[in-house]
Amino acid sequence: MNLKTTLRVSGISYLMIFLTGFYANFFVLEAIVVSTDPITTVTNFIEYRPMLRAGILGFLAMLFFDVVLVGSLYYVTNKVNRRMTILASGFRMLHALAFAVALASLFHIYGMTDPATGLDLNQLEPKITLALENFDSIWTLGLLFFGVHLFLLGYLCIKSNGIAKGLGVMLLLAALGYLTDCSAKLFMGNYVDYQEVFGLLVIILGVVGELTFTIWLLFKGFFDARLESIG
């Protein structure tokens, strides 16, 4: 692929990750899971099983575009520093693999809530609670890898002659948001007391930085006729 095509593929893939991930996580899981009430959560999974299926499909689409982005971003930054680009790609792939493993827990929940299993609420509650814990902890570990990826990507942007330095700084700050939140979630016993603060940190630093990068990829890929190389 030439540079323009690579930028377009990267920008579209990143945009699709935002859309599919936002839908699956906030419109589906956030609507179904009630963290303080496991029984209500189980009831929701049973009642809104088709909605869970749609959410799983959304997550699968997100995973697909994440893997596409591993390859396309490699061609965007490899001329800046090939070894660092390979390392950045590797950490993003580790994130994708971790998320694929985490997603298996949602498939398990979908299977368990099939009426044909004959499981009642009391039987389902501990199984679904455990599956959700596995999903959350494995994805959190994956987001740690993702944070390292963003740090390396930010470094590559700063070192590049074709990417604005400020964009690289924003990605470094996004990495800081993810790494801080995920580390706290994995290692702080009282994380729940500060969950909203850490979540806000990810939104402000992470989402803004990545969304700005997405807009840059799309603009350069579709509208900037002067860009010939990034090195």
Side-chain angles (χ1 to χ4, degrees):
M1 293 189 293
N2 60 39
L3 179 59
K4 285 291 183 180
T5 302
T6 303
L7 290 167
R8 291 168 185 169
V9 170
S10 298
I12 292 171
S13 296
Y14 231 134
L15 182 61
M16 292 305 299
I17 288 170
F18 270 107
L19 294 176
T20 55
F22 190 85
Y23 166 75
N25 193 44
F26 294 103
F27 279 87
V28 176
L29 277 191
E30 291 287 331
I32 292 176
V33 176
V34 182
S35 59
T36 57
D37 192 342
I39 293 297
T40 298
T41 297
V42 174
T43 303
N44 288 343
F45 273 122
I46 295 171
E47 184 175 353
Y48 302 113
R49 195 164 177 267
M51 187 176 174
L52 172 60
R53 181 174 64 242
I56 291 173
L57 290 175
F59 277 134
L60 283 173
M62 186 184 81
L63 181 61
F64 169 78
F65 286 110
D66 207 26
V67 173
V68 170
L69 200 57
V70 171
S72 62
L73 280 182
Y74 171 84
Y75 289 103
V76 172
T77 63
N78 79 96
K79 289 184 179 180
V80 179
N81 185 317
R82 186 171 179 272
R83 290 184 178 180
M84 191 69 74
T85 296
I86 291 173
L87 191 60
S89 299
F91 273 102
R92 184 150 199 146
M93 183 57 76
L94 284 174
H95 161 256
L97 291 173
F99 183 71
V101 174
L103 196 54
S105 294
L106 294 188
F107 276 101
H108 185 44
I109 291 174
Y110 184 75
M112 286 190 294
T113 52
D114 188 331
T117 63
L119 298 173
D120 60 28
L121 283 177
N122 291 327
Q123 292 172 308
L124 284 170
E125 188 272 324
K127 296 177 184 293
I128 288 180
T129 298
L130 179 60
L132 284 174
E133 289 174 354
N134 289 337
F135 173 78
D136 190 53
S137 59
I138 296 172
W139 192 10
T140 300
L141 179 61
L143 287 174
L144 270 179
F145 296 137
F146 181 70
V148 176
H149 159 77
L150 285 182
F151 181 85
L152 297 172
L153 182 61
Y155 171 83
L156 287 165
C157 290
I158 290 173
K159 290 295 182 181
S160 168
N161 294 322
I163 304 175
K165 308 299 181 189
L167 190 56
V169 172
M170 293 182 72
L171 289 174
L172 290 179
L173 291 174
L176 177 64
Y178 279 105
L179 291 172
T180 301
D181 177 55
C182 294
S183 298
K185 195 170 188 178
L186 290 172
F187 303 113
M188 276 182 61
N190 61 338
Y191 170 82
V192 67
D193 296 333
Y194 305 95
Q195 185 172 356
E196 290 186 4
V197 175
F198 286 117
L200 188 61
L201 184 68
V202 171
I203 292 174
I204 293 175
L205 298 180
V207 174
V208 171
E210 288 186 87
L211 186 58
T212 303
F213 185 57
T214 301
I215 294 170
W216 181 87
L217 289 168
L218 291 169
F219 175 79
K220 292 295 183 180
F222 285 99
F223 304 110
D224 190 350
R226 298 170 298 173
L227 186 65
E228 297 181 356
S229 66
I230 295 176

